[in-house]
Amino acid sequence: MVWCGVRVKWLSITVMALLILSGCSSCMIKQDCEKTNWFEHAKKVALQGKYLEEDEQVLKCKKVDVMSHKQLDMGYKEGRGIYCTLEQINKNAQQGNPVNFSMCVGLPGKSMREQYSEGLKTFCTSNSGYQYGSSGEVYKNVCSPAAEKVFLPSYFKGRTNYLTNYIQDKKDVLVNLEKQDQRFSFDVSRLSNEINSLPRLQECHQERFYNKSSKQTEDRRVCQEPEYIRIQRDTLSHQLNRARSQKDQNTAKITQVTGELENAQNELAKIPK
């Protein structure tokens, strides 16, 4: 029975901790949603050729019921009005972007596709392919198979140059992060040793107090760590917590950059020579 009681107690603590974490997460989401300019956000979604139901921010804030539906509707309509013009369709094609024709109900399909095809004539060229690849943009499969025979070889050359420089930059960043990691590790170790090296001293004195049970004034011996050691311990502990936090943040950056470096190296290895 005692074991069951302990188990129930720990389960209650675990559930309470999960509820607190869930509440904190929900609070952070609400704060982020409250900061969102819903008119501009919805306009941006429309200009990307996406529906509001596909947008991660909209879905996230819808769950916590923090958004302006009126501003969403107005912003999306304005963005779609710009997106669904023949001029913008041509421009998207020249930039190598696919177009969601189903969003543009008011425009004739034939005119839209003609403008898009006209724009692709500018994009799907050897010169454009190299510039596009060198800029870091990723090809979105918008050119016809015939045009790709001209576009892709130059695109792969530009993409190769971009990835080569990108990989070198990430390697340089990784070297600096690893140096910082060594410094943070040294600081954590040094501060831990300094805390452990503090003398274990106690200052004691007699103190009079009223004992409610015996209803008498009695003497007792009170001991505590000297104030100068306590202040020093608190200062070192604060510095240690800061060093650990910096090390954790730096470790997270190392993991992120390492992943980005590996992805770039894998992509470069797959590019046709």
Side-chain angles (χ1 to χ4, degrees), residues 206-249:
Q206 293 296 117
E207 182 178 272
R208 296 187 67 81
F209 76 103
Y210 179 74
N211 190 326
K212 292 183 179 179
S213 299
S214 64
K215 298 182 179 180
Q216 293 181 353
T217 300
E218 301 177 1
D219 291 332
R220 65 181 173 187
R221 185 178 173 82
V222 178
C223 297
Q224 62 182 10
E225 189 176 53
E227 185 177 6
Y228 75 93
I229 296 179
R230 189 166 63 251
I231 292 174
Q232 191 174 359
R233 189 185 303 280
D234 290 345
T235 300
L236 290 172
S237 296
H238 175 73
Q239 293 174 354
L240 177 59
N241 290 335
R242 182 183 177 188
R244 284 173 174 167
S245 176
Q246 289 174 326
K247 179 173 171 58
D248 289 343
Q249 292 175 16

mmCIF file of all heavy atoms in Angstrom, residues 206-249:
data_model
loop_
_atom_site.group_PDB
_atom_site.id
_atom_site.type_symbol
_atom_site.label_atom_id
_atom_site.label_comp_id
_atom_site.label_asym_id
_atom_site.label_seq_id
_atom_site.Cartn_x
_atom_site.Cartn_y
_atom_site.Cartn_z
ATOM 1 N N GLN A 206 24.978 30.861 20.264
ATOM 2 C CA GLN A 206 23.836 30.501 21.094
ATOM 3 C C GLN A 206 22.680 31.477 20.837
ATOM 4 O O GLN A 206 22.893 32.677 20.672
ATOM 5 C CB GLN A 206 24.223 30.538 22.572
ATOM 6 C CG GLN A 206 25.232 29.475 22.981
ATOM 7 C CD GLN A 206 24.679 28.074 22.831
ATOM 8 O OE1 GLN A 206 25.196 27.297 22.041
ATOM 9 N NE2 GLN A 206 23.625 27.765 23.560
ATOM 10 N N GLU A 207 21.496 30.931 20.809
ATOM 11 C CA GLU A 207 20.315 31.753 20.527
ATOM 12 C C GLU A 207 19.191 31.348 21.473
ATOM 13 O O GLU A 207 18.932 30.161 21.674
ATOM 14 C CB GLU A 207 19.896 31.550 19.069
ATOM 15 C CG GLU A 207 18.709 32.380 18.634
ATOM 16 C CD GLU A 207 18.383 32.152 17.168
ATOM 17 O OE1 GLU A 207 18.966 32.854 16.321
ATOM 18 O OE2 GLU A 207 17.560 31.254 16.877
ATOM 19 N N ARG A 208 18.553 32.338 22.061
ATOM 20 C CA ARG A 208 17.445 32.057 22.973
ATOM 21 C C ARG A 208 16.134 32.063 22.184
ATOM 22 O O ARG A 208 15.923 32.883 21.293
ATOM 23 C CB ARG A 208 17.392 33.091 24.099
ATOM 24 C CG ARG A 208 18.616 33.059 25.011
ATOM 25 C CD ARG A 208 18.448 33.987 26.211
ATOM 26 N NE ARG A 208 17.399 33.547 27.122
ATOM 27 C CZ ARG A 208 17.556 32.588 28.042
ATOM 28 N NH1 ARG A 208 18.734 31.969 28.157
ATOM 29 N NH2 ARG A 208 16.564 32.268 28.852
ATOM 30 N N PHE A 209 15.241 31.103 22.535
ATOM 31 C CA PHE A 209 13.950 31.032 21.859
ATOM 32 C C PHE A 209 12.906 30.502 22.838
ATOM 33 O O PHE A 209 13.248 29.877 23.850
ATOM 34 C CB PHE A 209 14.037 30.127 20.624
ATOM 35 C CG PHE A 209 14.060 28.652 20.951
ATOM 36 C CD1 PHE A 209 12.927 27.865 20.777
ATOM 37 C CD2 PHE A 209 15.219 28.044 21.447
ATOM 38 C CE1 PHE A 209 12.940 26.518 21.085
ATOM 39 C CE2 PHE A 209 15.232 26.692 21.746
ATOM 40 C CZ PHE A 209 14.089 25.922 21.566
ATOM 41 N N TYR A 210 11.660 30.748 22.518
ATOM 42 C CA TYR A 210 10.571 30.303 23.387
ATOM 43 C C TYR A 210 10.048 28.967 22.890
ATOM 44 O O TYR A 210 9.612 28.831 21.745
ATOM 45 C CB TYR A 210 9.442 31.325 23.399
ATOM 46 C CG TYR A 210 8.268 30.909 24.259
ATOM 47 C CD1 TYR A 210 8.374 30.956 25.658
ATOM 48 C CD2 TYR A 210 7.086 30.477 23.685
ATOM 49 C CE1 TYR A 210 7.301 30.571 26.461
ATOM 50 C CE2 TYR A 210 6.016 30.086 24.481
ATOM 51 C CZ TYR A 210 6.131 30.130 25.859
ATOM 52 O OH TYR A 210 5.074 29.746 26.655
ATOM 53 N N ASN A 211 10.109 27.953 23.740
ATOM 54 C CA ASN A 211 9.637 26.618 23.413
ATOM 55 C C ASN A 211 8.160 26.516 23.796
ATOM 56 O O ASN A 211 7.808 26.558 24.987
ATOM 57 C CB ASN A 211 10.456 25.568 24.167
ATOM 58 C CG ASN A 211 10.150 24.163 23.674
ATOM 59 O OD1 ASN A 211 9.027 23.856 23.292
ATOM 60 N ND2 ASN A 211 11.182 23.314 23.697
ATOM 61 N N LYS A 212 7.287 26.417 22.808
ATOM 62 C CA LYS A 212 5.843 26.371 23.059
ATOM 63 C C LYS A 212 5.437 25.107 23.808
ATOM 64 O O LYS A 212 4.467 25.115 24.573
ATOM 65 C CB LYS A 212 5.070 26.464 21.744
ATOM 66 C CG LYS A 212 5.186 27.807 21.059
ATOM 67 C CD LYS A 212 4.334 27.843 19.790
ATOM 68 C CE LYS A 212 4.427 29.206 19.105
ATOM 69 N NZ LYS A 212 3.625 29.241 17.865
ATOM 70 N N SER A 213 6.159 24.017 23.577
ATOM 71 C CA SER A 213 5.802 22.753 24.236
ATOM 72 C C SER A 213 6.061 22.816 25.740
ATOM 73 O O SER A 213 5.204 22.471 26.553
ATOM 74 C CB SER A 213 6.598 21.598 23.621
ATOM 75 O OG SER A 213 6.311 21.471 22.252
ATOM 76 N N SER A 214 7.288 23.282 26.074
ATOM 77 C CA SER A 214 7.643 23.366 27.505
ATOM 78 C C SER A 214 7.218 24.691 28.128
ATOM 79 O O SER A 214 7.270 24.865 29.340
ATOM 80 C CB SER A 214 9.156 23.179 27.682
ATOM 81 O OG SER A 214 9.858 24.249 27.048
ATOM 82 N N LYS A 215 6.826 25.625 27.243
ATOM 83 C CA LYS A 215 6.432 26.959 27.693
ATOM 84 C C LYS A 215 7.538 27.638 28.502
ATOM 85 O O LYS A 215 7.281 28.304 29.511
ATOM 86 C CB LYS A 215 5.135 26.896 28.503
ATOM 87 C CG LYS A 215 3.949 26.387 27.712
ATOM 88 C CD LYS A 215 2.676 26.379 28.540
ATOM 89 C CE LYS A 215 1.502 25.879 27.722
ATOM 90 N NZ LYS A 215 0.233 25.858 28.507
ATOM 91 N N GLN A 216 8.768 27.451 27.996
ATOM 92 C CA GLN A 216 9.931 28.040 28.661
ATOM 93 C C GLN A 216 10.869 28.632 27.615
ATOM 94 O O GLN A 216 10.883 28.212 26.458
ATOM 95 C CB GLN A 216 10.679 26.981 29.485
ATOM 96 C CG GLN A 216 9.911 26.467 30.674
ATOM 97 C CD GLN A 216 10.704 25.441 31.469
ATOM 98 O OE1 GLN A 216 11.789 25.032 31.038
ATOM 99 N NE2 GLN A 216 10.180 25.037 32.612
ATOM 100 N N THR A 217 11.659 29.587 28.064
ATOM 101 C CA THR A 217 12.693 30.155 27.203
ATOM 102 C C THR A 217 13.939 29.288 27.324
ATOM 103 O O THR A 217 14.415 29.028 28.437
ATOM 104 C CB THR A 217 13.023 31.596 27.615
ATOM 105 O OG1 THR A 217 11.838 32.398 27.510
ATOM 106 C CG2 THR A 217 14.098 32.182 26.697
ATOM 107 N N GLU A 218 14.439 28.850 26.176
ATOM 108 C CA GLU A 218 15.574 27.932 26.186
ATOM 109 C C GLU A 218 16.688 28.452 25.282
ATOM 110 O O GLU A 218 16.475 29.357 24.467
ATOM 111 C CB GLU A 218 15.129 26.545 25.717
ATOM 112 C CG GLU A 218 14.033 25.930 26.581
ATOM 113 C CD GLU A 218 13.560 24.598 26.040
ATOM 114 O OE1 GLU A 218 14.100 24.153 24.994
ATOM 115 O OE2 GLU A 218 12.642 24.006 26.653
ATOM 116 N N ASP A 219 17.843 27.860 25.407
ATOM 117 C CA ASP A 219 18.990 28.175 24.541
ATOM 118 C C ASP A 219 19.157 27.077 23.500
ATOM 119 O O ASP A 219 18.906 25.898 23.765
ATOM 120 C CB ASP A 219 20.280 28.275 25.370
ATOM 121 C CG ASP A 219 20.277 29.501 26.270
ATOM 122 O OD1 ASP A 219 19.624 30.489 25.907
ATOM 123 O OD2 ASP A 219 20.927 29.445 27.334
ATOM 124 N N ARG A 220 19.564 27.488 22.304
ATOM 125 C CA ARG A 220 19.900 26.503 21.272
ATOM 126 C C ARG A 220 21.103 26.981 20.473
ATOM 127 O O ARG A 220 21.348 28.180 20.366
ATOM 128 C CB ARG A 220 18.716 26.266 20.328
ATOM 129 C CG ARG A 220 18.314 27.459 19.502
ATOM 130 C CD ARG A 220 17.122 27.131 18.628
ATOM 131 N NE ARG A 220 16.609 28.317 17.940
ATOM 132 C CZ ARG A 220 15.491 28.325 17.220
ATOM 133 N NH1 ARG A 220 14.765 27.219 17.126
ATOM 134 N NH2 ARG A 220 15.091 29.440 16.618
ATOM 135 N N ARG A 221 21.807 26.025 19.917
ATOM 136 C CA ARG A 221 23.021 26.315 19.151
ATOM 137 C C ARG A 221 22.655 26.417 17.668
ATOM 138 O O ARG A 221 22.099 25.486 17.093
ATOM 139 C CB ARG A 221 24.052 25.209 19.372
ATOM 140 C CG ARG A 221 25.401 25.456 18.722
ATOM 141 C CD ARG A 221 26.334 24.301 19.070
ATOM 142 N NE ARG A 221 27.592 24.371 18.373
ATOM 143 C CZ ARG A 221 28.631 25.119 18.746
ATOM 144 N NH1 ARG A 221 28.531 25.865 19.845
ATOM 145 N NH2 ARG A 221 29.751 25.120 18.065
ATOM 146 N N VAL A 222 22.941 27.542 17.048
ATOM 147 C CA VAL A 222 22.623 27.787 15.641
ATOM 148 C C VAL A 222 23.927 27.909 14.857
ATOM 149 O O VAL A 222 24.800 28.712 15.213
ATOM 150 C CB VAL A 222 21.782 29.068 15.464
ATOM 151 C CG1 VAL A 222 21.507 29.318 13.989
ATOM 152 C CG2 VAL A 222 20.491 28.962 16.257
ATOM 153 N N CYS A 223 24.039 27.096 13.797
ATOM 154 C CA CYS A 223 25.252 27.117 12.970
ATOM 155 C C CYS A 223 24.888 27.398 11.522
ATOM 156 O O CYS A 223 23.874 26.898 11.010
ATOM 157 C CB CYS A 223 25.993 25.784 13.059
ATOM 158 S SG CYS A 223 26.604 25.383 14.709
ATOM 159 N N GLN A 224 25.702 28.165 10.841
ATOM 160 C CA GLN A 224 25.493 28.442 9.423
ATOM 161 C C GLN A 224 26.823 28.797 8.760
ATOM 162 O O GLN A 224 27.791 29.145 9.421
ATOM 163 C CB GLN A 224 24.483 29.562 9.229
ATOM 164 C CG GLN A 224 24.914 30.899 9.818
ATOM 165 C CD GLN A 224 23.848 31.968 9.634
ATOM 166 O OE1 GLN A 224 22.735 31.685 9.234
ATOM 167 N NE2 GLN A 224 24.198 33.211 9.939
ATOM 168 N N GLU A 225 26.803 28.694 7.434
ATOM 169 C CA GLU A 225 28.010 29.001 6.673
ATOM 170 C C GLU A 225 28.308 30.494 6.774
ATOM 171 O O GLU A 225 27.394 31.317 6.718
ATOM 172 C CB GLU A 225 27.796 28.600 5.200
ATOM 173 C CG GLU A 225 29.039 28.668 4.340
ATOM 174 C CD GLU A 225 28.785 28.158 2.932
ATOM 175 O OE1 GLU A 225 27.833 28.651 2.285
ATOM 176 O OE2 GLU A 225 29.523 27.268 2.483
ATOM 177 N N PRO A 226 29.585 30.868 6.929
ATOM 178 C CA PRO A 226 29.940 32.293 6.990
ATOM 179 C C PRO A 226 29.428 33.043 5.759
ATOM 180 O O PRO A 226 29.432 32.511 4.651
ATOM 181 C CB PRO A 226 31.472 32.278 7.040
ATOM 182 C CG PRO A 226 31.823 30.941 7.591
ATOM 183 C CD PRO A 226 30.770 30.004 7.104
ATOM 184 N N GLU A 227 29.029 34.270 5.986
ATOM 185 C CA GLU A 227 28.428 35.055 4.896
ATOM 186 C C GLU A 227 29.376 35.249 3.728
ATOM 187 O O GLU A 227 28.969 35.181 2.563
ATOM 188 C CB GLU A 227 27.969 36.411 5.423
ATOM 189 C CG GLU A 227 27.227 37.233 4.383
ATOM 190 C CD GLU A 227 26.720 38.546 4.938
ATOM 191 O OE1 GLU A 227 27.047 38.876 6.094
ATOM 192 O OE2 GLU A 227 26.007 39.253 4.198
ATOM 193 N N TYR A 228 30.664 35.476 3.993
ATOM 194 C CA TYR A 228 31.598 35.738 2.885
ATOM 195 C C TYR A 228 31.750 34.504 1.997
ATOM 196 O O TYR A 228 31.935 34.624 0.777
ATOM 197 C CB TYR A 228 32.959 36.199 3.433
ATOM 198 C CG TYR A 228 33.826 35.130 4.054
ATOM 199 C CD1 TYR A 228 34.788 34.462 3.295
ATOM 200 C CD2 TYR A 228 33.676 34.781 5.400
ATOM 201 C CE1 TYR A 228 35.582 33.477 3.871
ATOM 202 C CE2 TYR A 228 34.462 33.808 5.971
ATOM 203 C CZ TYR A 228 35.420 33.140 5.206
ATOM 204 O OH TYR A 228 36.203 32.176 5.769
ATOM 205 N N ILE A 229 31.656 33.300 2.592
ATOM 206 C CA ILE A 229 31.726 32.071 1.780
ATOM 207 C C ILE A 229 30.421 31.880 1.015
ATOM 208 O O ILE A 229 30.419 31.503 -0.161
ATOM 209 C CB ILE A 229 32.016 30.846 2.673
ATOM 210 C CG1 ILE A 229 33.398 30.975 3.311
ATOM 211 C CG2 ILE A 229 31.937 29.557 1.843
ATOM 212 C CD1 ILE A 229 33.760 29.820 4.221
ATOM 213 N N ARG A 230 29.307 32.172 1.676
ATOM 214 C CA ARG A 230 28.006 32.034 1.024
ATOM 215 C C ARG A 230 27.892 32.959 -0.177
ATOM 216 O O ARG A 230 27.393 32.567 -1.247
ATOM 217 C CB ARG A 230 26.894 32.317 2.035
ATOM 218 C CG ARG A 230 25.496 31.995 1.509
ATOM 219 C CD ARG A 230 24.465 31.964 2.618
ATOM 220 N NE ARG A 230 24.323 33.272 3.261
ATOM 221 C CZ ARG A 230 24.740 33.549 4.488
ATOM 222 N NH1 ARG A 230 25.370 32.619 5.203
ATOM 223 N NH2 ARG A 230 24.554 34.753 5.015
ATOM 224 N N ILE A 231 28.365 34.187 -0.042
ATOM 225 C CA ILE A 231 28.332 35.141 -1.159
ATOM 226 C C ILE A 231 29.213 34.650 -2.303
ATOM 227 O O ILE A 231 28.834 34.718 -3.476
ATOM 228 C CB ILE A 231 28.781 36.540 -0.680
ATOM 229 C CG1 ILE A 231 27.746 37.132 0.277
ATOM 230 C CG2 ILE A 231 29.014 37.466 -1.877
ATOM 231 C CD1 ILE A 231 28.179 38.430 0.912
ATOM 232 N N GLN A 232 30.392 34.136 -1.940
ATOM 233 C CA GLN A 232 31.314 33.637 -2.956
ATOM 234 C C GLN A 232 30.713 32.421 -3.679
ATOM 235 O O GLN A 232 30.810 32.295 -4.901
ATOM 236 C CB GLN A 232 32.650 33.250 -2.301
ATOM 237 C CG GLN A 232 33.763 32.981 -3.300
ATOM 238 C CD GLN A 232 35.102 32.749 -2.619
ATOM 239 O OE1 GLN A 232 35.204 32.813 -1.396
ATOM 240 N NE2 GLN A 232 36.130 32.483 -3.405
ATOM 241 N N ARG A 233 30.051 31.537 -2.910
ATOM 242 C CA ARG A 233 29.428 30.356 -3.500
ATOM 243 C C ARG A 233 28.294 30.750 -4.453
ATOM 244 O O ARG A 233 28.160 30.205 -5.544
ATOM 245 C CB ARG A 233 28.904 29.432 -2.398
ATOM 246 C CG ARG A 233 28.419 28.067 -2.907
ATOM 247 C CD ARG A 233 27.790 27.253 -1.786
ATOM 248 N NE ARG A 233 28.732 27.079 -0.681
ATOM 249 C CZ ARG A 233 29.704 26.172 -0.682
ATOM 250 N NH1 ARG A 233 29.870 25.392 -1.726
ATOM 251 N NH2 ARG A 233 30.497 26.065 0.364
ATOM 252 N N ASP A 234 27.484 31.709 -4.016
ATOM 253 C CA ASP A 234 26.371 32.162 -4.861
ATOM 254 C C ASP A 234 26.879 32.796 -6.156
ATOM 255 O O ASP A 234 26.315 32.573 -7.242
ATOM 256 C CB ASP A 234 25.503 33.170 -4.101
ATOM 257 C CG ASP A 234 24.714 32.523 -2.973
ATOM 258 O OD1 ASP A 234 24.612 31.290 -2.964
ATOM 259 O OD2 ASP A 234 24.225 33.266 -2.097
ATOM 260 N N THR A 235 27.946 33.591 -6.047
ATOM 261 C CA THR A 235 28.519 34.245 -7.227
ATOM 262 C C THR A 235 29.057 33.209 -8.211
ATOM 263 O O THR A 235 28.799 33.276 -9.425
ATOM 264 C CB THR A 235 29.652 35.203 -6.815
ATOM 265 O OG1 THR A 235 29.131 36.192 -5.934
ATOM 266 C CG2 THR A 235 30.253 35.886 -8.043
ATOM 267 N N LEU A 236 29.799 32.241 -7.690
ATOM 268 C CA LEU A 236 30.365 31.190 -8.544
ATOM 269 C C LEU A 236 29.263 30.324 -9.158
ATOM 270 O O LEU A 236 29.355 29.916 -10.327
ATOM 271 C CB LEU A 236 31.331 30.320 -7.740
ATOM 272 C CG LEU A 236 32.651 30.976 -7.328
ATOM 273 C CD1 LEU A 236 33.426 30.077 -6.373
ATOM 274 C CD2 LEU A 236 33.503 31.296 -8.558
ATOM 275 N N SER A 237 28.221 30.042 -8.384
ATOM 276 C CA SER A 237 27.107 29.229 -8.886
ATOM 277 C C SER A 237 26.394 29.943 -10.034
ATOM 278 O O SER A 237 26.005 29.316 -11.031
ATOM 279 C CB SER A 237 26.112 28.927 -7.762
ATOM 280 O OG SER A 237 26.711 28.136 -6.762
ATOM 281 N N HIS A 238 26.231 31.254 -9.887
ATOM 282 C CA HIS A 238 25.612 32.054 -10.953
ATOM 283 C C HIS A 238 26.469 31.997 -12.228
ATOM 284 O O HIS A 238 25.948 31.812 -13.336
ATOM 285 C CB HIS A 238 25.443 33.497 -10.491
ATOM 286 C CG HIS A 238 24.923 34.415 -11.559
ATOM 287 N ND1 HIS A 238 23.613 34.397 -11.991
ATOM 288 C CD2 HIS A 238 25.553 35.361 -12.316
ATOM 289 C CE1 HIS A 238 23.459 35.287 -12.946
ATOM 290 N NE2 HIS A 238 24.611 35.888 -13.156
ATOM 291 N N GLN A 239 27.781 32.137 -12.055
ATOM 292 C CA GLN A 239 28.692 32.078 -13.201
ATOM 293 C C GLN A 239 28.684 30.687 -13.831
ATOM 294 O O GLN A 239 28.746 30.547 -15.057
ATOM 295 C CB GLN A 239 30.111 32.454 -12.758
ATOM 296 C CG GLN A 239 30.257 33.908 -12.332
ATOM 297 C CD GLN A 239 31.630 34.210 -11.760
ATOM 298 O OE1 GLN A 239 32.456 33.319 -11.581
ATOM 299 N NE2 GLN A 239 31.886 35.488 -11.468
ATOM 300 N N LEU A 240 28.585 29.654 -13.006
ATOM 301 C CA LEU A 240 28.563 28.276 -13.513
ATOM 302 C C LEU A 240 27.289 28.018 -14.320
ATOM 303 O O LEU A 240 27.342 27.423 -15.407
ATOM 304 C CB LEU A 240 28.653 27.296 -12.347
ATOM 305 C CG LEU A 240 28.558 25.805 -12.702
ATOM 306 C CD1 LEU A 240 29.677 25.413 -13.664
ATOM 307 C CD2 LEU A 240 28.606 24.958 -11.440
ATOM 308 N N ASN A 241 26.154 28.468 -13.815
ATOM 309 C CA ASN A 241 24.888 28.289 -14.537
ATOM 310 C C ASN A 241 24.921 29.009 -15.881
ATOM 311 O O ASN A 241 24.415 28.498 -16.890
ATOM 312 C CB ASN A 241 23.723 28.804 -13.696
ATOM 313 C CG ASN A 241 23.445 27.928 -12.492
ATOM 314 O OD1 ASN A 241 23.773 26.744 -12.499
ATOM 315 N ND2 ASN A 241 22.855 28.502 -11.466
ATOM 316 N N ARG A 242 25.522 30.189 -15.897
ATOM 317 C CA ARG A 242 25.636 30.945 -17.147
ATOM 318 C C ARG A 242 26.534 30.216 -18.139
ATOM 319 O O ARG A 242 26.206 30.121 -19.328
ATOM 320 C CB ARG A 242 26.184 32.336 -16.861
ATOM 321 C CG ARG A 242 26.296 33.220 -18.097
ATOM 322 C CD ARG A 242 26.909 34.561 -17.777
ATOM 323 N NE ARG A 242 27.069 35.364 -18.974
ATOM 324 C CZ ARG A 242 27.714 36.516 -19.021
ATOM 325 N NH1 ARG A 242 28.229 37.022 -17.912
ATOM 326 N NH2 ARG A 242 27.815 37.181 -20.150
ATOM 327 N N ALA A 243 27.664 29.689 -17.647
ATOM 328 C CA ALA A 243 28.591 28.960 -18.525
ATOM 329 C C ALA A 243 27.933 27.703 -19.080
ATOM 330 O O ALA A 243 28.115 27.363 -20.258
ATOM 331 C CB ALA A 243 29.861 28.599 -17.757
ATOM 332 N N ARG A 244 27.167 26.999 -18.255
ATOM 333 C CA ARG A 244 26.461 25.803 -18.726
ATOM 334 C C ARG A 244 25.420 26.143 -19.777
ATOM 335 O O ARG A 244 25.258 25.421 -20.763
ATOM 336 C CB ARG A 244 25.801 25.096 -17.535
ATOM 337 C CG ARG A 244 26.779 24.304 -16.672
ATOM 338 C CD ARG A 244 26.100 23.770 -15.429
ATOM 339 N NE ARG A 244 26.988 22.889 -14.673
ATOM 340 C CZ ARG A 244 26.763 22.489 -13.435
ATOM 341 N NH1 ARG A 244 25.674 22.924 -12.785
ATOM 342 N NH2 ARG A 244 27.604 21.674 -12.820
ATOM 343 N N SER A 245 24.705 27.257 -19.557
ATOM 344 C CA SER A 245 23.703 27.694 -20.525
ATOM 345 C C SER A 245 24.358 28.048 -21.859
ATOM 346 O O SER A 245 23.853 27.684 -22.932
ATOM 347 C CB SER A 245 22.948 28.903 -19.972
ATOM 348 O OG SER A 245 22.032 29.402 -20.916
ATOM 349 N N GLN A 246 25.480 28.758 -21.801
ATOM 350 C CA GLN A 246 26.206 29.113 -23.022
ATOM 351 C C GLN A 246 26.706 27.865 -23.751
ATOM 352 O O GLN A 246 26.644 27.793 -24.981
ATOM 353 C CB GLN A 246 27.389 30.027 -22.669
ATOM 354 C CG GLN A 246 26.986 31.425 -22.240
ATOM 355 C CD GLN A 246 28.167 32.250 -21.758
ATOM 356 O OE1 GLN A 246 29.109 31.734 -21.156
ATOM 357 N NE2 GLN A 246 28.122 33.548 -22.015
ATOM 358 N N LYS A 247 27.163 26.888 -22.982
ATOM 359 C CA LYS A 247 27.651 25.646 -23.580
ATOM 360 C C LYS A 247 26.507 24.888 -24.257
ATOM 361 O O LYS A 247 26.668 24.361 -25.368
ATOM 362 C CB LYS A 247 28.307 24.763 -22.520
ATOM 363 C CG LYS A 247 28.831 23.433 -23.071
ATOM 364 C CD LYS A 247 29.616 22.668 -22.032
ATOM 365 C CE LYS A 247 29.926 21.259 -22.523
ATOM 366 N NZ LYS A 247 30.689 21.268 -23.794
ATOM 367 N N ASP A 248 25.345 24.847 -23.597
ATOM 368 C CA ASP A 248 24.177 24.162 -24.170
ATOM 369 C C ASP A 248 23.734 24.830 -25.468
ATOM 370 O O ASP A 248 23.412 24.157 -26.455
ATOM 371 C CB ASP A 248 23.021 24.158 -23.167
ATOM 372 C CG ASP A 248 23.282 23.231 -21.984
ATOM 373 O OD1 ASP A 248 24.181 22.378 -22.099
ATOM 374 O OD2 ASP A 248 22.600 23.384 -20.950
ATOM 375 N N GLN A 249 23.705 26.166 -25.459
ATOM 376 C CA GLN A 249 23.309 26.897 -26.667
ATOM 377 C C GLN A 249 24.312 26.655 -27.794
ATOM 378 O O GLN A 249 23.938 26.488 -28.959
ATOM 379 C CB GLN A 249 23.203 28.393 -26.359
ATOM 380 C CG GLN A 249 22.059 28.756 -25.431
ATOM 381 C CD GLN A 249 22.054 30.218 -25.038
ATOM 382 O OE1 GLN A 249 22.707 31.055 -25.665
ATOM 383 N NE2 GLN A 249 21.320 30.558 -23.995
#
